[in-house]
Amino acid sequence: DGGITQSPKYLFRKEGQNVTLSCEQNLNHDAMYWYRQDPGQGLRLIYYSQIVNDFQKGDIAEGYSVSREKKESFPLTVTSAQKNPTAFYLCASSIARHGIYEQYFGPGTRLTVT
Amino acid sequence: LAKTTQPISMDSYEGQEVNITCSHNNIATNDYITWYQQFPSQGPRFIIQGYKTKVTNEVASLFIPADRKSSTLSLPRVSLSDTAVYYCLVGADNNAGNMLTFGGGTRLMVKP
């Protein structure tokens, strides 16, 4: 089955610790994204990557870091500098074909920092 | 990126047709209009996308007037399982990639 996997589904960390969220896709998509969603809110873009070894900041990149060493993988690190890291994190990938753009989302990781 | 405005919430009953309208007054020439559906604690799912006039698939229809400043997602004969948040997005593949901006969405509640 092709798709996007995120692990783990739930993650608990102590304040001050860095934590890395995994995102893997086998859809052969070039672009990958990380979003953050707070309760009752829409999605906000953290980082995106169009090709391997390249990524760009989104609207709320402060306190986060990413890497894109392989096409299939786009891990997100939530650093201790992120002031309010508790949220639902969603990874997505996309391909453009004939002007139609769809983003395919993973199941999400719910991060709780105490 | 074009800003979108849609109702915060809507209620409906099973079997009814639901129309959710989205305003995007500053849509650009190369922007597409895309709708996503999101259930609680899940990632959004693509529903439908269009550029102009009408698009229909097995799930929904999308109506876009000639000026493209708004669009209407139509869900025929909704069921309880259609209770979800629906996002209207406007964007295009520019040099920054497939940048789509998710607003707050419309929370649809389908009642029995």
Side-chain angles (χ1 to χ4, degrees), chain A residues 9 33 35 37 40-43 45 48 50 59 88 90 94-96 98-103 105-108 110, chain B residues 30 32 34 36 38 41-46 49 87 91-105 107:
Chain A
K9 190 167 179 63
Y33 313 80
Y35 293 90
Q37 187 172 37
Q41 305 296 312
L43 282 69
L45 183 65
Y48 66 98
Q50 291 180 264
D59 300 322
F88 187 47
L90 287 157
S94 72
I95 186 170
H98 304 300
I100 301 296
Y101 313 112
E102 301 176 26
Q103 292 197 7
F105 284 83
R110 190 168 297 281
Chain B
N30 58 344
Y32 279 76
T34 311
Y36 285 80
Q38 186 181 26
S41 297
Q42 295 185 25
R45 181 176 72 104
F46 172 90
Q49 187 173 72
Y87 295 97
D93 184 20
N94 54 26
N95 288 333
N98 290 358
M99 294 289 290
L100 298 176
T101 299
F102 286 78
R107 195 170 299 271

Side-chain angles (χ1 to χ4, degrees), chain B residues 68-79:
Chain B
R68 301 199 332 121
K69 293 185 183 299
S70 67
S71 59
T72 299
L73 174 72
S74 181
L75 304 172
R77 298 179 298 282
V78 293
S79 64

Side-chain angles (χ1 to χ4, degrees), chain B residues 48-65:
Chain B
I48 197 166
Q49 187 173 72
Y51 184 80
K52 61 181 179 180
T53 63
K54 177 183 174 183
V55 179
T56 297
N57 62 21
E58 65 278 4
V59 176
S61 294
L62 179 60
F63 299 91
I64 306 168

Side-chain angles (χ1 to χ4, degrees), chain B residues 10-48:
Chain B
M10 293 180 69
D11 288 343
S12 182
Y13 291 92
E14 281 191 291
Q16 288 187 333
E17 178 184 75
V18 171
N19 295 310
I20 306 175
T21 297
C22 178
S23 298
H24 27 81
N25 290 321
N26 59 341
I27 189 169
T29 302
N30 58 344
D31 283 345
Y32 279 76
I33 300 156
T34 311
W35 286 80
Y36 285 80
Q37 175 192 56
Q38 186 181 26
F39 298 112
S41 297
Q42 295 185 25
R45 181 176 72 104
F46 172 90
I47 300 176
I48 197 166

